[in-house]
Amino acid sequence: MQTATLRIVHVFPRFKTYSGAEHFCFQFAREAVRRHQRVTVVTRHLPTGLAANFPDDVEVRQLNWAHQPKRFHFLESLCDVLYSPFLSRLVPEDSDYDVYWNDNTLSSLFIDSLRRKKNRVFLCLQLPHFAYGQTALVARSYPPLSWLVPVLAPLYRWLDKLFAGRADLVIAISKMVRDDCVRVYRRDVALASPGIAPPHPDLLDPGFIRRALPIRSKHILVSAGKIIPKKNFDVFVQVVHGLRQRGVDVSGVIVGDGPLRERVARLIRSLELEPYCLMTGFVTEYADVLRYMSGATLYVYLERDVPFGLTPLEAGSLGVPVVAFEGGGVEETVVDGENGRKLPAAYGAEEIADLIAGLLAGPPEELARMGGRAKEMVKRWTWERAYERFLEHLRSLESRQP
């Protein structure tokens, strides 16, 4: 089979923002089109503002009768699962490979596997938190509906394993996720990590963040992402507070939005940090997210056991050192003392503040060295290489056919 004739279908639950999985899917579509491959994206919902991120040659099929997603994160995640079986009806019959993104689309994969023979791939970004390992945390996060999570989790785990078993190939995005998948699904799992695009010179704009926000501090800490429990933005606020108490002239900036935004805002107010800990809210342009990051003294990434984590690489591409918890995907993207510092998993806000205070009190040349090293290290994390590894795994399916 010639690569140029390939038709690849990506079954994606729902596009929300230009970040994380969405960014991953956009880039793989661009790489495919660049190779003259045919790409179809099947999804519950693609906002008009995000559709422009796909090349013109990409065909998009949506559930036009599905409701418009609301801001209730937990409820919409449940709806993604409920809509998933209907996505299989939109998958074209003449595709060479059907790629199902994450657990929310597995019921579609299962149903389609009963109808016709295809090359089906399950691309696992992470195992669902509420079903594996963090059931209690999720149950507390979105009451009262989330109180049902402990009841539903055992059934979901059983279905998850049943549905994933119908995939011809499972691909994980990091070594940690691969190990999790091997443990849960008890089968071989391939590895294909994402990448990053070299930033355009216009995005290297350290002054942007000071023009956009009322910041007068010498140092700026930036953290970006969806404001949900696992991102630990409350800890970030406490770290900024601890640094201010230590006399460090620093401001913190949270780039993003999410269901816990008001809770984090209340914490900022209760600590009287309004002038020194700022929230941008939802940033419509991905380029502006990078511009905010480029003005950081340090990028602070406080999600524990992250499946992969693109933002540490994005910060590194901008020459910004990273502080992140050890474990998970960070083990692949952050080298302690080289492109940043890794935090022991047991560290709380006080210990993190002590470490960052030491970094900021040190010679500026040390931070500059880490930033320069970060730029060099990310050169191997290109989307072109990431997509080539992905294609190699797809081609391996041909040798498995009887």
Side-chain angles (χ1 to χ4, degrees):
M1 183 179 298
Q2 297 297 316
T3 300
T5 65
L6 290 183
R7 182 175 187 180
I8 300 176
V9 177
H10 295 282
V11 184
F12 198 97
R14 170 173 50 103
F15 290 84
K16 301 179 285 292
T17 62
Y18 195 117
S19 64
E22 289 88 346
H23 181 53
F24 196 169
C25 190
F26 290 142
Q27 291 290 351
F28 266 23
R30 291 167 189 162
E31 289 294 327
V33 169
R34 193 166 65 85
R35 290 165 173 78
H36 307 291
Q37 297 165 3
R38 298 172 62 195
V39 178
T40 298
V41 174
V42 172
T43 186
R44 164 193 165 189
H45 180 66
L46 175 64
T48 303
L50 290 180
N53 292 294
F54 280 123
D56 292 339
D57 293 338
V58 172
E59 177 192 18
V60 177
R61 300 184 179 187
Q62 300 185 63
L63 287 179
N64 295 323
W65 52 267
H67 78 277
Q68 293 290 309
K70 309 300 181 185
R71 293 177 61 86
F72 302 106
H73 174 74
F74 182 75
L75 179 60
E76 290 301 333
S77 294
L78 288 178
C79 289
D80 288 340
V81 175
L82 296 175
Y83 280 121
S84 174
F86 301 99
L87 297 178
S88 63
R89 291 290 180 180
L90 301 180
V91 176
E93 295 189 10
D94 64 341
S95 57
D96 297 299
Y97 303 103
D98 297 341
V99 183
Y100 291 80
W101 288 67
N102 229 14
D103 63 291
N104 284 353
T105 62
L106 279 179
S107 60
S108 181
L109 182 155
F110 178 79
I111 291 172
D112 198 52
S113 73
L114 302 177
R115 299 170 53 218
R116 54 198 176 195
K117 185 175 178 60
K118 299 285 287 293
N119 288 313
R120 295 181 181 83
V121 178
F122 170 33
L123 180 58
C124 186
L125 308 178
Q126 62 183 359
L127 294 180
H129 290 297
F130 81 91
Y132 300 99
Q134 296 188 24
T135 302
L137 174 63
V138 177
R140 296 194 305 268
S141 298
Y142 307 99
L145 190 60
S146 61
W147 293 341
L148 295 173
V149 164
V151 177
L152 297 175
L155 174 63
Y156 194 93
R157 286 195 294 268
W158 180 78
L159 290 173
D160 181 59
K161 295 172 187 176
L162 175 67
F163 295 166
R166 301 293 295 188
D168 299 291
L169 175 67
V170 178
I171 300 178
I173 65 166
S174 71
K175 294 176 182 177
M176 184 197 81
V177 176
R178 181 182 61 186
D179 291 345
D180 286 344
C181 288
V182 169
R183 172 176 53 82
V184 170
Y185 302 127
R186 299 187 181 279
R187 59 181 294 176
D188 291 337
V189 177
L191 178 64
S193 300
I196 64 167
H200 190 278
D202 289 348
L203 303 182
L204 296 171
D205 187 0
F208 176 85
I209 193 168
R210 294 183 183 273
R211 295 193 302 271
L213 301 171
I215 296 175
R216 297 293 180 266
S217 301
K218 177 180 179 181
H219 300 294
I220 303 175
L221 307 182
V222 171
S223 192
K226 186 182 297 181
I227 306 177
I228 54 179
K230 65 179 181 177
K231 299 293 185 180
N232 291 316
F233 285 111
D234 54 340
V235 179
F236 177 79
V237 173
Q238 293 163 5
V239 168
V240 175
H241 181 249
L243 288 167
R244 297 292 308 179
Q245 286 187 317
R246 289 163 172 77
V248 181
D249 186 17
V250 65
S251 289
V253 176
I254 297 172
V255 181
D257 198 358
L260 297 188
R261 179 180 176 181
E262 183 52 38
R263 184 186 301 181
V264 174
R266 286 198 301 269
L267 178 61
I268 292 171
R269 291 193 294 269
S270 70
L271 296 174
E272 299 181 350
L273 274 179
E274 292 98 325
Y276 304 109
C277 197
L278 307 170
M279 304 174 74
T280 67
F282 177 65
V283 179
T284 57
E285 296 293 331
Y286 173 68
D288 285 343
V289 174
L290 296 182
R291 291 188 179 99
Y292 277 118
M293 292 169 62
S294 74
T297 309
L298 288 171
Y299 183 77
V300 181
Y301 192 67
L302 298 181
E303 181 176 351
R304 288 180 169 87
D305 293 321
V306 60
F308 184 78
L310 277 176
T311 53
L313 290 179
E314 290 166 338
S317 73
L318 298 162
V320 178
V322 177
V323 173
F325 279 116
E326 64 187 3
V330 168
E331 296 300 317
E332 299 176 57
T333 59
V334 179
V335 178
D336 193 49
E338 289 293 311
N339 61 335
R341 291 298 309 274
K342 287 196 288 193
L343 304 166
Y347 268 21
E350 288 298 309
E351 293 90 347
I352 298 170
D354 283 338
L355 184 145
I356 292 177
L359 284 174
L360 298 182
E365 296 79 13
E366 178 63 11
L367 288 177
R369 181 192 67 79
M370 287 186 180
R373 180 69 179 129
K375 274 189 173 183
E376 289 299 315
M377 290 176 61
V378 300
K379 289 181 179 179
R380 67 187 180 94
W381 295 97
T382 67
W383 283 111
E384 181 177 5
R385 291 183 181 180
Y387 192 70
E388 282 298 331
R389 287 192 294 269
F390 176 70
L391 283 181
E392 289 173 7
H393 293 314
L394 297 190
R395 295 187 191 106
S396 73
L397 287 176
E398 299 303 318
S399 63
R400 305 181 191 184
Q401 298 298 324

